[in-house]
């Protein structure tokens, strides 16, 4: 049974930093392309970072480029999202995800339909 568990969210002031973790059981994260998504109240879920399998290509939309960094710790079967210089607009629930079609993928996917496995989400709130 595949399970993804996010952690590391919280309340932070503008300009602050957080590191989100996505720990997996039931699969080896390094074998899969992984995505981080977020969803703010009243808004659609959006992709904010992706990484291909085996530390391949990464993706960041302009809204977070230069502030967010995705990385893996294969020994811990965990993917991280380091978030710096946080802004109030970053407030949302953050999710990690992967999918069966992303196994061994040398590329990442921006399509939600490709993601079968989702964590429960972790709340990030940026406010003074």
């Amino acid at each position: 049974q595949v399970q993804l568990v996010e952690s590391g969210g919280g309340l932070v002031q503008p300009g602050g930093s957080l590191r989100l973790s996505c720990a997996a059981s039931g699969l080896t994260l390094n074998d899969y392309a992984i995505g981080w998504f977020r969803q703010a109240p009243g808004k659609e879920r959006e992709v904010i970072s992706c990484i291909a399998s085996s530390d391949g290509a990464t993706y960041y939309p302009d809204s977070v480029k230069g502030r967010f960094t995705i990385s893996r710790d294969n020994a811990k079967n965990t993917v991280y999202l380091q978030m710096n210089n946080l802004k109030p607009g970053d407030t949302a629930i953050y999710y990690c995800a992967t999918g069966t079609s992303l196994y061994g993928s040398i590329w990442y996917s921006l399509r939600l339909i490709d993601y079968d496995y989702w964590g429960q989400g972790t709340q990030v709130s940026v406010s003074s």
Side-chain angles (χ1 to χ4, degrees):
Q1 181 180 357
V2 175
Q3 188 174 17
L4 302 178
V5 179
E6 301 96 338
S7 62
L11 174 63
V12 64
Q13 293 185 341
S17 298
L18 287 173
R19 188 178 76 161
L20 305 184
S21 300
C22 173
S25 59
L27 55 75
T28 301
L29 285 178
N30 191 49
D31 293 338
Y32 291 80
I34 306 297
W36 279 99
F37 300 80
R38 69 185 180 189
Q39 188 165 20
K43 295 187 177 181
E44 293 186 351
R45 191 166 297 189
E46 61 173 339
V47 60
I48 55 170
S49 185
C50 298
I51 186 168
S53 66
S54 301
D55 284 339
T58 57
Y59 165 81
Y60 306 93
D62 289 343
S63 58
V64 307
K65 193 175 295 182
R67 300 189 296 124
F68 291 10
T69 304
I70 191 170
S71 63
R72 300 178 185 269
D73 184 334
N74 296 330
K76 295 182 178 180
N77 203 25
T78 298
V79 173
Y80 300 102
L81 185 68
Q82 178 67 42
M83 306 187 297
N84 299 327
N85 190 21
L86 283 161
K87 305 175 181 181
D90 295 318
T91 295
I93 299 174
Y94 284 67
Y95 303 88
C96 64
T98 188
T100 53
S101 66
L102 300 176
Y103 177 81
S105 176
I106 62 172
W107 204 239
Y108 49 76
S109 173
L110 304 182
R111 306 189 311 168
L112 268 68
I113 194 172
D114 290 330
Y115 292 86
D116 307 314
Y117 306 118
W118 293 82
Q120 82 289 350
T122 185
Q123 175 71 48
V124 172
S125 299
V126 185
S127 175
S128 55

